[in-house]
Amino acid sequence: MYRSVGLHGEPIAVTGFLLVPRGAAPRGGWPVISWGHGATGVGPVCAPSRHANLYPSSDQYAETDMIEHLVQDGYAVVGTDYPGLGFPDRVENSPRRMSRSGP
């Protein structure tokens, strides 16, 4: 979990994940790659960090294979669940949804 900034400048908590290679970090630390997932759903259980393979369904293995290879090749991989995903009893609150007017 990390601190971020909401749509109106307020501090918000966001969940995510960090994967690092096994063993000691090289001098200067691991090179870091930030991964942004595609649409996974709108509920808390849709957050990639809540699943061992980073996706709620097993049909997304191409991306998880890529991430696994990056970690095996010596990169740290960090990913956000995006605001609103990953928290129990909370629904998605993406900027697109919150910026709509009307019902």
Side-chain angles (χ1 to χ4, degrees), residues 64-82:
T64 55
D65 284 348
M66 176 195 65
I67 292 168
E68 183 178 339
H69 286 289
L70 289 168
V71 173
Q72 289 173 353
D73 289 344
Y75 293 92
V77 179
V78 63
T80 180
D81 289 332
Y82 302 132

Side-chain angles (χ1 to χ4, degrees), residues 19-97:
L19 304 171
V20 296
R22 294 182 190 262
R27 181 179 230 173
W30 303 110
V32 178
I33 293 180
S34 176
W35 173 69
H37 65 83
T40 57
V42 296
V45 299
C46 299
S49 69
R50 295 186 61 152
H51 301 277
N53 73 345
L54 303 178
Y55 272 94
S57 66
S58 61
D59 61 348
Q60 300 293 332
Y61 284 117
E63 287 189 56
T64 55
D65 284 348
M66 176 195 65
I67 292 168
E68 183 178 339
H69 286 289
L70 289 168
V71 173
Q72 289 173 353
D73 289 344
Y75 293 92
V77 179
V78 63
T80 180
D81 289 332
Y82 302 132
L85 290 180
F87 289 95
D89 302 321
R90 209 155 144 200
V91 295
E92 181 264 343
N93 61 354
S94 72
R96 181 174 178 215
R97 179 177 173 165

